[in-house]
Amino acid sequence: MQSLCKFYEMGDQVVKALDSIDLDFGLNDYAAIMGPSGSGKSTLMNIIGCLDTPTSGIYELNGQQVAEMDDDELARIRNREIGFVFQTFNLLPRLNCLRNVELPLIYAGVSPEEREARAREALQRVGLGDRITHKPAELSGGQIQRVAIARALINKPSIILADEPTGNLDTATSHEIMKIFGELSEAGNTIILITHEEDIARYTRRIIRLRDGKIESDKPQ
Amino acid sequence: MLLRETVIQAITSLTVNKLRSWLTIMGVAVGVFSIIAVMTALDAIDKSVESGLTSLGANTFQIQKDPAMVFGSGHSRNFYANRKEITYKQALLFRKYMEGRVRNIGFIIVRPANLAKYANRTTNPDVAMTGGDENFAASNGFAIAAGRNLSENDIRTARNSAVIGSELAETLFPSGENPLNKFIKVNGEVYTVAGVFVKKGAAFGQSQDNFVLIPITRFLQHINENSSLSITVEALSRKEYQQTIDRAIGAMRLARGLTIKDVNDFEIRTNESLIDSFRDIKIAISTGAFIISFMALLTAGVGIMNIMLVSVTERTREIGIRKSIGAPRTTILRQFLFEALFLSIAGGLIGVLVGVSAGNILALKFNLPPIFPILWITVSMVVCSAIGMAFGLFPAWKAANLNPVEALRPK
Ligand SMILES: Nc1ncnc2c1ncn2[C@@H]1O[C@H](COP(=O)(O)OP(=O)(O)O)[C@@H](O)[C@H]1O
Ligand SMILES: [Mg+2]
């Protein structure tokens, strides 16, 4: 992405949430975006995740220009190329694990038999093969987040995006989750996660620091 | 996304808030119920009226003092009330003038609500007493089941002979007792049963077989000499029907002694005119039912919209999640539209079911044949779907166009 900007107009004031951001992510990148609260981390992630479009600038994903896409094209990209993991998990509470995990495949038009098989497989990968009929309320925070990771994985996305995935978890569980991300990275997935905890960021191979909508530093580790 | 998934999702969401869904469904059901019940009853009446009227005979018309049904103000009612009775003398004159130009002319006088007795058996006071002549049976489509018809002699001598309808015969002479030559009492007067008519069935929702026919001359002498007659005329053929009506109007004016400047002071009733005037009533009732149902359905539609808007607000997060994992706008739109449609169609089906039942129960009470008003059911279901669509569209559109970032923001 090049000179990416996102402005919010608040009355007569313009908030520069992102100000001329230039970034590149390669295949199998494993990066952490860090920075103080309000520095633009979530805004950046929403744009990378095609939930939002930039005010100006270029964003190219796998050779496709995202900035000019309409809502439905963005939805298609999110479905095929992006896997989200949220701080607040964002599972549908009335559906069991299997149904939650297979949801992206419904929108991709995959047949019920294949959906179920792939959802089982994804749950197995995050170590929840024996919990498939449980509803989110019957699981612990760590288990819920693992279901969310399984959902993010299911459609073999180009990028897995995680906005403070450990923000609502205790330290031990956080490290368990980070171990899963590590395994996924080793398996070849591209992962970008947001965190403000240094010891979470330490799991990644690249740290990008934001301040006031600008890149402060971008270092491999 | 597959249709099946959309339907499953819609039903799943609706079952979460069962009471709310049911209340909304009932709103639609009430609107549909009122139109279906009224239309079922009307269709049932309609069917029986048309079959009842056409059973009078295709080439037959009647001349009476008053029209079959009078609409409108007291003024028009007075207009008819001031007309003079059609007397037996006028009727005989009329018959003389029409001699040879028609197949048949019958005179009748009807007096409703009489009490009949035989031995220790008494009927309800709902037996019609008809004064007629030997032509009555033929011109009204009655055949003789047992005994004989009234004879010319009965009429001339005003004899106390009677021919009774099948229902009256069953009431007074149950379990196969022979009614012929028995003496029955109607309003205190004694008559000899000369014959029994074949059963004709119901028309206008009323039995046509609960009556006693006596010579018209006896009716005029013993019961009411000032009764107004009804004259039944059967034309020679369908071709001469209209011509016969025109001639009958001339003959009747002559018999009533009208001058050129007088307007007709009698009415011609044909099958068509009766059906027409019934149709006027039907249209009035239908219009009323339509307006009421329309308002009820409109209210139900607003109810659906309200519920759907609440649902969209409550499920903002769900919508955000679905969008973030790639649900396109059309899918979200369809999901919410389906929920609205489901509510309205379920309401419509319940309304149809209860409405058809209620209409048929009503029809049964009036002795009418059961009916299944396909047209109205179709119309109702189409209107329901349209209402579900129309009022569900805005909430669904709102849901589909939610910004996923906003929708996912924790509150
Ligand atoms: N929808 C919005 N409207 C107005 N301002 C916003 C909106 N979203 C974010 N911002 C502003 O943009 C800046 C960056 O926000 P955000 O990306 O959420 O920061 P972070 O995730 O790093 O805490 C903040 O100053 C925030 O107030
Ligand atoms: Mg944030």
Side-chain angles (χ1 to χ4, degrees):
Chain A
M1 52 182 66
Q2 281 167 22
S3 53
L4 203 71
C5 299
K6 179 72 182 182
F7 300 153
Y8 293 109
E9 284 184 39
M10 303 286 284
D12 48 347
Q13 212 175 325
V14 177
V15 178
K16 295 188 176 179
L18 293 177
D19 193 358
S20 297
I21 299 280
D22 296 301
L23 269 177
D24 259 309
F25 293 100
L27 214 62
N28 201 15
D29 239 347
Y30 188 15
I33 298 173
M34 301 196 66
S37 187
S39 57
K41 305 184 297 292
S42 295
T43 308
L44 178 60
M45 192 183 104
N46 290 338
I47 290 174
I48 297 174
C50 300
L51 283 171
D52 212 348
T53 47
T55 312
S56 67
I58 296 168
Y59 173 29
E60 207 180 286
L61 177 66
N62 289 342
Q64 293 166 288
Q65 291 297 332
V66 172
E68 285 136 34
M69 289 187 174
D70 66 25
D71 278 10
D72 286 342
E73 285 171 312
L74 288 174
R76 233 181 76 85
I77 297 278
R78 287 198 294 271
N79 185 243
R80 306 277 152 104
E81 314 279 1
I82 313 285
F84 285 102
V85 179
F86 300 94
Q87 179 179 357
T88 51
F89 317 127
N90 283 342
L91 296 180
L92 294 182
R94 290 196 301 275
L95 304 183
N96 66 27
C97 293
L98 194 73
R99 300 278 166 245
N100 261 295
V101 171
E102 72 170 9
L103 215 50
L105 296 183
I106 292 183
Y107 295 122
V110 175
S111 74
E113 298 78 32
E114 191 185 338
R115 275 187 338 233
E116 188 163 334
R118 279 167 67 179
R120 278 174 194 279
E121 190 193 311
L123 281 164
Q124 220 108 53
R125 261 181 94 175
V126 297
L128 283 175
D130 54 341
R131 293 282 196 283
I132 53 171
T133 54
H134 287 58
K135 299 223 168 136
E138 300 156 7
L139 300 174
S140 71
Q143 288 173 324
I144 296 174
Q145 196 60 299
R146 282 194 270 165
V147 175
I149 293 172
R151 183 181 65 186
L153 280 177
I154 187 103
N155 215 8
K156 303 188 173 70
S158 306
I159 313 175
I160 295 172
L161 288 173
D163 191 347
E164 310 224 17
T166 59
N168 281 1
L169 302 175
D170 60 45
T171 320
T173 318
S174 296
H175 288 286
E176 261 173 53
I177 293 295
M178 291 316 295
K179 248 177 66 195
I180 294 177
F181 277 120
E183 285 163 23
L184 293 177
S185 173
E186 247 141 64
N189 288 288
T190 307
I191 303 170
I192 303 171
L193 57 86
I194 292 177
T195 183
H196 52 251
E197 293 167 75
E198 293 292 343
D199 50 335
I200 293 297
R202 215 162 288 140
Y203 281 90
T204 65
R205 292 195 294 274
R206 174 184 175 188
I207 297 181
I208 299 157
R209 291 181 196 277
L210 288 184
R211 183 175 294 275
D212 298 332
K214 290 192 165 76
I215 296 178
E216 194 182 46
S217 68
D218 180 359
K219 286 185 229 148
Q221 58 165 356
Chain B
M1 193 170 67
L2 292 161
L3 189 73
R4 207 178 70 111
E5 313 294 340
T6 316
V7 174
I8 292 172
Q9 273 177 14
I11 292 172
T12 313
S13 309
L14 288 173
T15 50
V16 169
N17 224 316
K18 288 199 188 63
L19 178 66
R20 202 161 75 183
S21 301
W22 272 115
L23 287 176
T24 315
I25 287 173
M26 286 339 265
V28 180
V30 167
V32 173
F33 165 79
S34 63
I35 185 108
I36 290 288
V38 171
M39 290 308 165
T40 307
L42 275 181
D43 273 4
I45 294 171
D46 199 26
K47 222 177 167 184
S48 104
V49 164
E50 289 195 18
S51 66
L53 288 176
T54 38
S55 77
L56 273 176
N59 301 339
T60 307
F61 63 91
Q62 288 186 328
I63 304 171
Q64 289 183 358
K65 190 179 75 134
D66 296 317
M69 304 163 205
V70 184
F71 287 110
S73 60
H75 172 78
S76 61
R77 251 178 265 264
N78 286 338
F79 174 74
Y80 294 116
N82 288 335
R83 284 182 171 176
K84 293 222 163 56
E85 283 74 29
I86 298 176
T87 63
Y88 189 55
K89 232 163 133 187
Q90 287 168 359
L92 287 174
L93 267 178
F94 174 79
R95 179 187 268 172
K96 208 176 96 194
Y97 297 147
M98 295 294 283
E99 192 106 57
R101 315 283 192 143
V102 293
R103 168 149 304 150
N104 206 334
I105 293 181
F107 308 144
I108 58 167
I109 307 171
V110 177
R111 192 184 131 140
N114 302 277
L115 201 92
K117 277 185 193 170
Y118 173 72
N120 58 350
R121 283 183 284 276
T122 307
T123 65
N124 290 328
D126 60 357
V127 180
M129 171 172 265
T130 303
D133 59 15
E134 69 277 15
N135 295 320
F136 169 87
S139 38
N140 287 281
F142 278 104
I144 299 292
R148 61 170 180 87
N149 189 10
L150 290 182
S151 66
E152 245 180 285
N153 206 24
D154 289 326
I155 310 300
R156 206 172 40 246
T157 59
R159 204 186 328 207
N160 65 344
S161 311
V163 184
I164 61 179
S166 63
E167 189 180 331
L168 179 60
E170 275 161 34
T171 318
L172 292 183
F173 304 96
S175 55
E177 200 178 328
N178 183 9
L180 295 181
N181 299 319
K182 300 278 159 56
F183 298 106
I184 61 168
K185 258 187 177 179
V186 184
N187 286 340
E189 294 243 0
V190 178
Y191 300 91
T192 316
V193 178
V196 179
F197 287 119
V198 170
K199 186 178 172 73
K200 202 171 176 188
F204 290 99
Q206 270 184 333
S207 165
Q208 299 182 95
D209 301 305
N210 192 26
F211 76 105
V212 51
L213 173 71
I214 62 168
I216 190 163
T217 41
R218 185 162 187 95
F219 191 106
L220 289 164
Q221 282 172 23
H222 287 255
I223 295 169
N224 187 351
E225 55 180 335
N226 293 323
S227 308
S228 191
L229 272 70
S230 165
I231 303 173
T232 307
V233 182
E234 190 184 348
L236 285 169
S237 68
R238 188 72 209 163
K239 231 177 82 201
E240 284 173 65
Y241 186 66
Q242 194 52 48
Q243 200 187 328
T244 309
I245 289 179
D246 294 340
R247 181 168 289 135
I249 291 172
M252 199 62 200
R253 288 181 64 91
L254 209 60
R256 301 269 274 171
L258 300 183
T259 63
I260 287 175
K261 60 184 194 313
D262 291 326
V263 293
N264 293 347
D265 60 353
F266 53 88
E267 296 293 320
I268 305 282
R269 285 194 205 173
T270 60
N271 281 344
E272 289 80 11
S273 78
L274 277 176
I275 291 172
D276 281 353
S277 48
F278 174 70
R279 233 166 237 152
D280 289 344
I281 294 185
K282 210 182 133 180
I283 287 169
I285 298 175
S286 312
T287 312
F290 233 91
I291 292 171
I292 292 168
S293 303
F294 183 75
M295 306 255 253
L297 282 176
L298 211 64
T299 316
V302 172
I304 289 180
M305 178 133 107
N306 185 32
I307 287 302
M308 292 312 294
L309 282 173
V310 170
S311 172
V312 169
T313 310
E314 279 178 354
R315 287 154 63 193
T316 298
R317 192 167 192 81
E318 176 193 329
I319 296 163
I321 295 171
R322 288 184 186 278
K323 292 197 103 174
S324 75
I325 58 173
R329 268 183 316 185
T330 44
T331 307
I332 304 270
L333 187 91
R334 214 160 38 170
Q335 185 190 341
F336 280 85
L337 213 51
F338 251 88
E339 286 182 29
L341 263 179
F342 189 87
L343 289 174
S344 61
I345 289 178
L349 284 177
I350 293 175
V352 163
L353 217 72
V354 182
V356 169
S357 314
N360 274 317
I361 288 171
L362 213 69
L364 209 69
K365 262 201 132 90
F366 285 97
N367 265 326
L368 299 173
I371 206 155
F372 195 70
I374 293 282
L375 174 71
W376 293 111
I377 291 170
T378 317
V379 167
S380 300
M381 291 319 292
V382 168
V383 168
C384 271
S385 311
I387 282 189
M389 282 281 203
F391 287 90
L393 197 62
F394 174 62
W397 179 86
K398 225 180 118 173
N401 284 291
L402 277 181
N403 178 336
V405 179
E406 310 274 331
L408 282 173
R409 182 166 296 144
K411 280 169 204 101

